[in-house]
Amino acid sequence: MKKYFGNYDKTISEVSAVFCLIFVAVTMVKPIGVQKVFDSIFRFFINNFGWYYLLCGIIFLIVCFTLAFSKYGEMRLGKDDEKPEFSLFSWFSMLFSAGMGIGLVFWGVAEPIYHFAGPPFAEPGTAAAAVEAMRYSFFHWGLHPWASYGVVALCLAYFQFRKDMPGLISSTLLPVLGEKGMKGSTGKAVDIFTIILSLFGIATSLGLGAMTITTGLNFVYDIPNTVTTSIVVIAVITVMFIISAVTGVEKGIKWLSNINMSLAFMLMAFLFLSGPTRFIINIMVESIGSYAQNILWMSFFLDTQGVVAEHTGYDWVGTWTIFYWAWWITWVPFVGSFLARISRGRTIREFVLGVLVAPTLLSCIWFAILGGSAMHIEMFGTGGITEAAHTELTSAIFTMFTHFPMTGLLSVLTMIIVAIFFVTSADSSTYVISMMTSSGNLNPSSGLRVFWGIISGGIGVALVLAGGLSAVQAVSFALTFPFVFLMLIMIYCLYKSLSEEKAINDETIVSEQDTGQI
């Protein structure tokens, strides 16, 4: 076992694997019962603690920008003389592919169209609804989710590369747990909990990607849009991401991320130039201004009086904003760990601006081009995208392509982009989980990566068979509640350690100056 898996932590690995397998088995046997139980748990947290998610979301954003422009901004996530391991383009490609990936393709058309047809405040289908739809799309995919990733990544990178601690969530709690607590049962419990949350997060991503690819295959090649097709897609992609994960960050993940960003830029450029270019530019500029003007208000809006719920006919804030804020946290453990891994040598200021500002701008451009094109077709063209989105979300983007030249090529290109996003998201999570289960080893054994890759793919297949994707989403949201609290403790530990290090450095400088004067 040791020869194949390397020096892995037996307790953390076995408990995490057994818990996930038990959950999958129960879900397959009684999918409806499990779904109802966890949906009730999810609704309990959403209905009673929506304020908690919103407050923590804005706290994470404030913390990131405060650190970036504070006296700690020039501090490196590593030793003082270390340089970044990856080029700026490769670093950005990897963080963007791991952090958003499939979701942007899945929701790039669907979310703006949904909001356009049922905006929280404006009249549906109007020019005001279009701006409102784009503003909320920017909000849900902009600074707040990346701030959640950034907080955890900052904590991990600081303690891992500057303090030479293992790349584990438990390592970031050193100031409050102490070395004994960090290495003891409390630390192991934290790491097990983190791994389980990560596996549930990637499982839903596997289902999301499989459904998108299956719909695309049905559109282009008339392949049946069935569970069997989705399982075959998951099986093929699982083999691909295991191969990529085994080759390591320096090769597989970096190369695939670079290729995918290039393909995504090609798709955006084609749609921008062949679509309603002026409309896209106008709505992007107008919506960015609306987003910037209303970001503080949106960050705290809970619809206490039920005005939006009455206007839309359902709990809009809970279904969209609170849903997203909880959903992003399911990705935080492995995306944060992966961002930390690829950000060694960068300053805190460079890290924050790179992780928050650049992806947010690209997300805005992406939604403006895809969502803007779709809304233009609905407002001034023959329409049909809204009906497709409400019938099946995954079909929205492919339906939009029917209004563009080279529909088949665009659909195939989109499926390739989704597949590579699928691979990069999955193999980055497989790499991170392998790292977590091998005491933070930056180069976990190939056997361990293969093992967790098979587990991830198996969970995805089992959930598609059992129809339990929504059950996993529900249990993931329930698990995010304590993890958000854990993130707040991590922030405290980071500030405490940074201030102590800064005080020691300042004292050393003063001492050296005094010695020089003597």
Side-chain angles (χ1 to χ4, degrees):
M1 292 288 286
K2 187 174 180 180
K3 182 180 179 181
Y4 185 71
F5 292 123
N7 294 317
Y8 72 101
D9 190 303
K10 189 175 181 181
T11 302
I12 292 176
S13 300
E14 291 181 356
V15 172
S16 302
V18 168
F19 182 91
C20 291
L21 291 174
I22 290 174
F23 178 84
V24 169
V26 173
T27 303
M28 292 184 70
V29 173
K30 292 186 176 182
I32 304 300
V34 171
Q35 182 174 336
K36 287 182 178 178
V37 170
F38 285 112
D39 187 58
S40 298
I41 294 173
F42 166 60
R43 282 298 161 192
F44 170 78
F45 281 110
I46 292 299
N47 293 334
N48 294 284
F49 295 99
W51 59 268
Y52 171 75
Y53 287 102
L54 284 191
L55 280 180
C56 290
I58 193 66
I59 287 172
F60 299 150
L61 186 59
I62 292 171
V63 165
C64 284
F65 280 115
T66 299
L67 282 173
F69 296 102
S70 69
K71 57 186 177 182
Y72 309 118
E74 292 301 319
M75 193 175 290
R76 289 194 177 275
L77 299 173
K79 306 307 176 186
D80 290 334
D81 58 348
E82 278 193 84
K83 300 299 179 185
E85 183 178 358
F86 300 101
S87 69
L88 196 62
F89 181 77
S90 293
W91 178 60
F92 179 70
S93 297
M94 286 190 286
L95 72 88
F96 193 77
S97 296
M100 292 296 180
I102 297 170
L104 275 179
V105 181
F106 187 91
W107 289 109
V109 172
E111 180 167 349
I113 282 295
Y114 247 89
H115 298 331
F116 176 68
F121 298 102
E123 287 301 313
T126 62
V131 174
E132 197 170 281
M134 200 62 67
R135 182 183 79 212
Y136 266 102
S137 296
F138 291 177
F139 179 58
H140 292 152
W141 293 81
L143 293 171
H144 286 73
W146 286 102
S148 300
Y149 296 155
V151 162
V152 172
L154 267 178
C155 295
L156 283 166
Y158 175 80
F159 283 99
Q160 186 176 3
F161 301 128
R162 197 160 182 90
K163 297 298 183 182
D164 298 319
M165 303 295 293
L168 304 170
I169 295 294
S170 57
S171 297
T172 66
L173 305 178
L174 178 64
V176 295
L177 291 181
E179 192 166 342
K180 185 177 179 180
M182 184 192 74
K183 294 181 179 179
S185 57
T186 303
K188 287 186 183 296
V190 167
D191 293 328
I192 290 170
F193 175 74
T194 302
I195 291 167
I196 291 171
L197 180 61
S198 299
L199 286 168
F200 283 139
I202 195 60
T204 44
S205 177
L206 291 172
L208 196 71
M211 288 187 293
T212 304
I213 294 174
T214 302
T215 301
L217 291 172
N218 178 256
F219 255 75
V220 180
Y221 301 110
D222 204 29
I223 295 174
N225 190 348
T226 62
V227 170
T228 302
T229 306
S230 294
I231 291 173
V232 172
V233 169
I234 290 177
V236 172
I237 296 296
T238 298
V239 172
M240 291 174 63
F241 79 67
I242 287 175
I243 293 172
S244 178
V246 168
T247 59
V249 177
E250 297 81 1
K251 295 180 181 178
I253 298 176
K254 185 181 77 171
W255 292 347
L256 285 173
S257 297
N258 288 346
I259 291 171
N260 216 32
M261 286 302 296
S262 299
L263 292 177
F265 278 124
M266 287 172 56
L267 176 63
M268 285 195 298
F270 179 83
L271 294 176
F272 176 73
L273 294 174
S274 61
T277 305
R278 187 175 65 179
F279 180 85
I280 290 171
I281 294 174
N282 288 343
I283 198 168
M284 179 172 64
V285 172
E286 188 174 358
S287 300
I288 288 176
S290 180
Y291 171 44
Q293 185 180 6
N294 292 282
I295 186 171
L296 189 62
W297 170 77
M298 291 189 293
S299 298
F300 290 95
F301 180 68
L302 281 165
D303 191 26
T304 306
Q305 284 76 37
V307 175
V308 173
E310 184 178 353
H311 178 69
T312 59
Y314 66 101
D315 181 10
W316 192 93
V317 174
T319 302
W320 287 100
T321 303
I322 305 300
F323 166 90
Y324 269 127
W325 271 214
W327 173 241
W328 295 126
I329 303 300
T330 63
W331 280 56
V332 160
F334 70 83
V335 174
S337 298
F338 185 72
L339 295 187
R341 167 64 184 88
I342 64 176
S343 301
R344 183 171 189 166
R346 299 194 181 275
T347 65
I348 290 177
R349 182 174 297 121
E350 182 182 13
F351 173 87
V352 169
L353 294 179
V355 170
L356 266 67
V357 178
T360 295
L361 288 175
L362 185 55
S363 294
C364 290
I365 294 171
W366 177 271
F367 274 103
I369 293 175
L370 273 74
S373 297
M375 286 190 290
H376 186 272
I377 291 168
E378 290 294 303
M379 295 172 71
F380 308 107
T382 55
I385 302 173
T386 299
E387 290 78 8
H390 281 84
T391 302
E392 186 174 359
L393 277 173
T394 51
S395 67
I397 188 169
F398 297 107
T399 302
M400 188 191 73
F401 288 154
T402 61
H403 298 270
F404 282 83
M406 297 189 290
T407 300
L409 180 61
L410 290 175
S411 298
V412 171
L413 180 60
T414 298
M415 285 188 287
I416 293 172
I417 292 171
V418 170
I420 299 179
F421 271 143
F422 201 154
V423 171
T424 51
S425 295
D427 66 11
S428 60
S429 66
T430 300
Y431 167 81
V432 167
I433 291 171
S434 300
M435 187 176 69
M436 288 178 178
T437 52
S438 58
S439 302
N441 183 6
L442 291 179
N443 293 295
S445 68
S446 298
L448 202 58
R449 299 185 200 187
V450 171
F451 172 77
W452 287 115
I454 293 172
I455 290 287
S456 299
I459 292 173
V461 170
L463 292 169
V464 169
L465 282 171
L469 283 174
S470 57
V472 169
Q473 288 177 336
V475 73
S476 297
F477 299 142
L479 288 173
T480 59
F481 186 83
F483 192 80
V484 168
F485 183 71
L486 184 62
M487 290 170 67
L488 296 175
I489 299 175
M490 291 168 65
I491 292 171
Y492 167 77
C493 292
L494 178 63
Y495 266 111
K496 189 173 187 297
S497 188
L498 282 170
S499 60
E500 288 175 354
E501 180 180 347
K502 183 68 174 175
I504 292 172
N505 290 342
D506 291 345
E507 187 177 325
T508 302
I509 292 173
V510 170
S511 178
E512 289 176 351
Q513 289 175 343
D514 291 343
T515 303
Q517 289 174 356
I518 293 173

